[in-house]
Amino acid sequence: MLENSTCHRHRRRLTTSGTETGVPAKGDFIQTVLRSGFPPPTMAVRVGVLGATGAVGQRLIQLLDPHPDFEIAALTASDSSAGKPYQEAAKWRADSPIPADVATMTVGATEPDAVPTDVDLLFSSLPSSIGAAVEPDFCEAGYVVSSNSSNARMAEDVPLVIPEVNADHLDLLEVQQDTRGWDGALIKNPNCSTITFVPTLAALAEYGLERVHVATLQAVSGAGYDGVTSMEIIDNAIPHIGSEEEKLETESKKLLGTFDGASLEHHEVEVGASCNRIPTIDGHLENVWLETTQSVTPDAAAEALEAYPGLDLHSSPDPLIHVFDDPSRPQPRLDRGLGNGMAVSVGGIRSSTFGLQYNCLAHNTVRGAAGASVLNGELLLENGYL
Ligand SMILES: NC(=O)c1ccc[n+]([C@@H]2O[C@H](COP(=O)([O-])OP(=O)(O)OC[C@H]3O[C@@H](n4cnc5c(N)ncnc54)[C@H](OP(=O)(O)O)[C@@H]3O)[C@@H](O)[C@H]2O)c1
């Protein structure tokens, strides 16, 4: 099981404009109750999962049932699953039982007419070719879609968001609604390997990001259940993951870019990536070499990484970044569960010929996929988009 993190110290809290405020005091809540005579309503937002039977879909169900803000009201998959009870359609492989209320839900077709109209938010974990075909239809039909799939991540009017890094990019949704005329909206989380190293760059950005080299050691779950066969990966490493390098190189610059209220300017940092598949189940480990404009010592880097704040959102861990003194950590099996699978961990920080060198790790199907979408859903809710 993953470690549970409920402690939220030193958090940033965002308003719709993305500015920082203090967390409301308990007294504010009591005044609200006294003025109205009733406690404020606490209705959960009804949500659906597109691609609910897959590896990421199952993680989404684990994270959403239960969830304080969201209630699962619709599940969809391919035509071969539609019409079946979820427990029959899904080959459940997650490390906790299928929630009883989800097990008996009927899987629907992945089309807007098959999703109840009182569902506000859809988490999408569809293959990207299917996402590209159907996500715009859902947005046009008025649904807000928080998607894992790689389609449209680099579109100019689609926010690509890691809430702790670039929550202000969410307001790109206003540009999106103007340009596309959708009643709904589309927000993306980045690729699982991008999510692992970009928070560390954000934490070190004050030193001036100039050039990054990153080599990944990626777990097999990142390829989905049918992605890599045991005969291919046991006793092996595969030094190629289709289109992965390009995703790390482009998505990182978009995430670290600047949004001026109308358009997004990508960061100028140069990023070079090399991606490898290794026989771990979950948790992407990455080796990073970072060149900065100002020199940074390993101690100063460790301090900046540890101090980088999380958010006051249910799924944002505290601390966001764990720093290990032990140079043999982080390790996938030991450290992927930190912060309920939502933390990034860093170790082996040292000065090298090519600038600062360190290793980082995140759980690829939680922080890198399902948890990232859920956190984006929490951000949408917090900022009034639901
Ligand atoms: N795994 C990761 O760590 C990870 C990380 C980041 C992003 N992602 C992205 O998340 C997405 C899902 O990945 P995954 O690993 O969960 O894949 P997966 O295990 O293969 O699951 C795919 C899901 O999509 C459904 N689906 C397939 N074809 C469909 C169609 N024609 N119409 C409607 N639904 C269809 C499947 O339903 P059936 O069961 O009915 O076939 C299943 O629910 C991908 O875009 C992937 O790139 C994955």
Side-chain angles (χ1 to χ4, degrees), residues 58-138:
Q58 295 188 19
R59 278 280 182 213
L60 278 164
I61 287 166
Q62 263 192 323
L63 297 175
L64 291 169
D65 195 327
H67 187 286
D69 303 320
F70 304 134
E71 175 196 350
I72 298 178
L75 303 171
T76 84
S78 73
D79 288 347
S80 64
S81 300
K84 294 180 183 164
Y86 183 75
Q87 62 192 353
E88 194 185 307
K91 259 190 184 170
W92 184 261
R93 293 166 167 113
D95 53 1
S96 59
I98 307 183
D101 46 342
V102 169
T104 53
M105 282 178 74
T106 303
V107 176
T110 302
E111 53 194 41
D113 288 348
V115 173
T117 50
D118 64 353
V119 167
D120 286 322
L121 174 63
L122 296 170
F123 295 105
S124 172
S125 56
L126 296 165
S128 54
S129 57
I130 309 298
V134 303
E135 286 175 353
D137 296 342
F138 281 99

Side-chain angles (χ1 to χ4, degrees), residues 188-213:
K188 294 274 166 176
N189 55 258
N191 172 275
C192 42
S193 301
T194 309
I195 290 187
T196 304
F197 82 112
V198 165
T200 69
L201 299 185
L204 297 167
E206 64 186 285
Y207 293 100
L209 307 174
E210 205 164 35
R211 195 168 298 111
V212 186
H213 291 96

Side-chain angles (χ1 to χ4, degrees), residues 7 25 48 73 109 124 151 210 236 310 317 340 379:
C7 166
S124 172
N151 55 291
E210 205 164 35
N236 207 7
N340 228 6
L379 186 74

